[in-house]
Amino acid sequence: MGFKFQWGVVLETFPLLLSGVKLTIIITIGGLLFGFVLGVATGLMKLSRSLPVRSLAGAYVEAIRGTPLIVQVMFLYFGVPMAVGLRIRPMTAGIIAIAVNSGAYIAEIVRGAVQSIDPGQIEAGRSIGLTRAQTMRYIIWPQAFRRMIPPLGNQFIISLKDTSLLVVIGVAELTRVGQEIIAVNFRAFEVWLTVGIVYLMMTLTIARFLRMAEDRLAQRGKR
Amino acid sequence: MIRIENLHKRFGGLEVIRGIDLHVTPGEVVCIIGPSGSGKSTVLRCINRLEEITAGRIIVDGSDITDPKTNINQVRAEAGMVFQQFNLFPHMTVLQNVTLGPVKVRRMKRAAADTLGRELLAKVGLAEKTGSYPDQLSGGQKQRVAIARSLALQPKVMLFDEPTSALDPELVGEVLEVMKRLAAEGMTMVVVTHEMGFAREVADRVIFIDQGVIQEEGPPKAFFSNPRNPRLKDFLGRVVANL
């Protein structure tokens, strides 16, 4: 066979991947920003006293968690425009897909964290005359938020990696750029290895930021 | 101050309280004792509607708390509650724990609330702990912060739900001491407790609840030295035997 690893290809590939890295980061940040808002809203809806509100939130979460992301992406990009007669740009579709997908998982993180707070905290808040909303805002949420950080970090990393699936709708993100390079130089081993290393650098960066955030919060006030 | 009429409370199929009438007058200290599971804590929790009542009527400071038109948050601010497990807010300093109610419920200015908070913490002997977090305190200190937190709303009545039951024995005294001082200042208090010594010394009236009804009540002297109800006799016998 005579395969010979070429360091030169790795070094050449790095700068070529930069445009893909940029798009991957934009889609991840955009998707997670909307996904976080969506997830918090859905998570709180799942805690609502109203059954219709809870059911609506539950249906969304189950639908997303129960179907593959790649199907969601293709449905959104190829399916929905057919039905509504409106084309969306691949980039927009990508951000929406990541937002809708991460939103469902973040909703469960939010719900779990809020429910993990001792019910005595709610009673104490209510007993000093705070309303339900005030108790949520001043007492439950700040404590729940701390508990959300580790699982949120996980979700951020998963969503970043999930952007690679957008290759199927032709978004020129990192994985797509890697494919294009290989189409020219046929060095699959070196290029995919390099692409993998670049993803790893990004996920390790997220992990480090989250550890810093955790330490910061742990310093003021314990538990 | 508090009037309870024919209170019933059911959890699923289990009727925990089966018809209780209780009238607490201003300045009165009422201690409620009874075996665990007798419903005594539930009565207390019904008074500020932490539990919804099944039937009956509860009037606190002139407001019928079962009336849907009553602003329950206002009633709760008038009835301070101290819990067995303290339930301090772990993410806030001691001072923030105490001032949250005055600022958010009473709409007090931050500076005035801080002054009030410091005064109350000094009163419970914790002037130097204002900047600490709850998990840096002992159980007895936590419970004293919880008392200050309730007092910060300047309530008309204080409800204590087994305030010393979660404390190490050597820390019970400091909490009871604070409660005694409150009683001496004329605070209306309803105390669910296992501290017979406290009930005997501080209560104006002691109430024995068992099987969801008041079995016996009276001034502490007669209550403890001359119990008539056989269940109370049995209960007191067991409590004393355990000491």
Side-chain angles (χ1 to χ4, degrees):
Chain A
M1 291 290 282
F3 174 78
K4 202 164 170 296
F5 184 74
Q6 296 184 2
W7 265 113
V9 175
V10 174
L11 296 178
E12 281 165 27
T13 305
F14 258 114
L16 295 174
L17 291 173
L18 274 182
S19 68
V21 169
K22 196 176 136 198
L23 277 200
T24 292
I25 291 176
I26 291 173
I27 295 168
T28 305
I29 291 179
L32 284 173
L33 228 52
F34 289 114
F36 184 71
V37 174
L38 196 60
V40 170
T42 310
L44 295 179
M45 280 168 71
K46 286 202 83 170
L47 296 164
S48 163
R49 280 180 297 184
S50 146
L51 180 64
V53 171
R54 274 205 312 276
S55 307
L56 186 70
Y60 159 53
V61 171
E62 293 310 328
I64 296 300
R65 288 202 308 183
T67 55
L69 174 58
I70 195 158
V71 173
Q72 295 162 15
V73 169
M74 294 205 276
F75 177 73
L76 181 71
Y77 184 66
F78 299 114
V80 173
M82 258 185 107
V84 298
L86 185 84
R87 279 208 76 76
I88 29 175
R89 292 168 50 222
M91 197 51 191
T92 316
I95 291 176
I96 294 175
I98 295 296
V100 170
N101 184 269
S102 67
Y105 291 95
I106 291 172
E108 285 299 287
I109 292 170
V110 168
R111 183 190 58 77
V114 167
Q115 281 181 337
S116 76
I117 304 298
D118 175 11
Q121 292 288 308
I122 300 175
E123 294 190 348
R126 301 306 306 273
S127 78
I128 59 173
L130 297 176
T131 63
R132 266 174 69 94
Q134 285 176 320
T135 305
M136 188 56 163
R137 176 166 165 204
Y138 299 116
I139 295 168
I140 305 303
W141 183 259
Q143 296 182 57
F145 187 71
R146 273 174 214 198
R147 297 192 187 179
M148 285 175 213
I149 290 177
L152 273 180
N154 256 334
Q155 184 57 46
F156 290 179
I157 288 169
I158 290 170
S159 287
L160 180 120
K161 293 188 294 179
D162 279 351
T163 58
S164 66
L165 286 174
L166 299 175
V167 78
V168 299
I169 58 169
V171 179
E173 43 65 60
L174 181 51
T175 302
R176 177 77 178 196
V177 174
Q179 259 183 352
E180 284 164 0
I181 295 170
I182 293 165
V184 175
N185 68 9
F186 305 108
R187 299 304 303 186
F189 186 88
E190 288 86 350
V191 174
W192 284 131
L193 181 73
T194 312
V195 167
I197 290 169
V198 174
Y199 273 115
L200 190 61
M201 279 163 32
M202 291 194 283
T203 52
L204 288 177
T205 308
I206 296 179
R208 158 167 281 180
F209 271 119
L210 283 151
R211 224 172 303 126
M212 275 164 52
E214 263 179 86
D215 290 347
R216 278 275 285 278
L217 282 171
Q219 276 167 20
R220 25 184 209 107
K222 312 289 157 58
R223 199 160 83 176
Chain B
M1 183 62 59
I2 300 173
R3 183 184 288 280
I4 300 175
E5 290 167 5
N6 195 26
L7 173 66
H8 287 258
K9 172 68 188 176
R10 192 190 292 277
F11 289 106
L14 186 69
E15 191 164 33
V16 182
I17 298 174
R18 304 179 299 143
I20 280 184
D21 292 270
L22 177 64
H23 185 193
V24 182
T25 57
E28 195 177 17
V29 177
V30 174
C31 283
I32 302 177
I33 64 169
S36 53
S38 59
K40 54 194 193 308
S41 287
T42 308
V43 173
L44 205 65
R45 292 164 58 82
C46 285
I47 295 175
N48 66 355
R49 225 170 88 184
L50 285 180
E51 303 287 354
E52 296 289 342
I53 74 174
T54 307
R57 226 152 77 98
I58 299 180
I59 293 160
V60 179
D61 189 32
S63 312
D64 183 345
I65 65 154
T66 52
D67 185 342
K69 278 177 292 192
T70 302
N71 181 344
I72 189 63
N73 300 316
Q74 245 156 44
V75 176
R76 286 190 176 129
E78 300 300 338
M81 181 89 171
V82 175
F83 300 89
Q84 182 178 347
Q85 297 297 339
F86 328 125
N87 295 343
L88 292 182
F89 308 133
H91 59 301
M92 297 182 183
T93 65
V94 163
L95 186 63
Q96 287 167 341
N97 264 273
V98 177
T99 55
L100 183 68
V103 171
K104 299 300 173 194
V105 178
R106 297 290 196 216
R107 308 248 157 249
M108 207 184 252
K109 289 268 186 297
R110 165 64 53 197
D114 280 352
T115 308
L116 172 70
R118 283 176 209 284
E119 268 171 33
L120 287 169
L121 286 166
K123 185 174 165 175
V124 299
L126 294 171
E128 76 288 3
K129 294 288 185 190
T130 51
S132 304
Y133 282 90
D135 69 347
Q136 299 168 317
L137 304 181
S138 73
Q141 290 172 331
K142 282 182 197 168
Q143 195 59 299
R144 286 185 282 151
V145 172
I147 293 172
R149 178 175 69 181
S150 291
L151 289 175
L153 290 134
Q154 291 158 320
K156 298 212 170 72
V157 48
M158 287 283 285
L159 311 172
F160 293 87
D161 187 6
E162 302 197 29
T164 58
S165 296
L167 297 178
D168 292 339
E170 76 272 20
L171 302 176
V172 169
E174 62 190 65
V175 172
L176 293 182
E177 206 46 56
V178 169
M179 291 169 62
K180 276 181 205 170
R181 252 185 292 143
L182 263 183
E185 287 169 14
M187 176 61 80
T188 310
M189 294 164 57
V190 182
V191 186
V192 171
T193 187
H194 292 292
E195 294 293 328
M196 298 304 152
F198 176 82
R200 188 193 292 262
E201 187 185 339
V202 182
D204 297 307
R205 190 152 45 112
V206 185
I207 288 175
F208 175 63
I209 293 183
D210 191 16
Q211 301 194 318
V213 293
I214 295 180
Q215 303 274 0
E216 182 157 346
E217 65 179 299
K221 228 177 177 168
F223 186 94
F224 286 111
S225 54
N226 194 13
R228 287 157 301 165
N229 181 294
R231 288 185 176 280
L232 174 58
K233 274 186 198 166
D234 181 51
F235 176 70
L236 289 176
R238 272 181 291 136
V239 172
V240 173
N242 285 342
L243 285 179

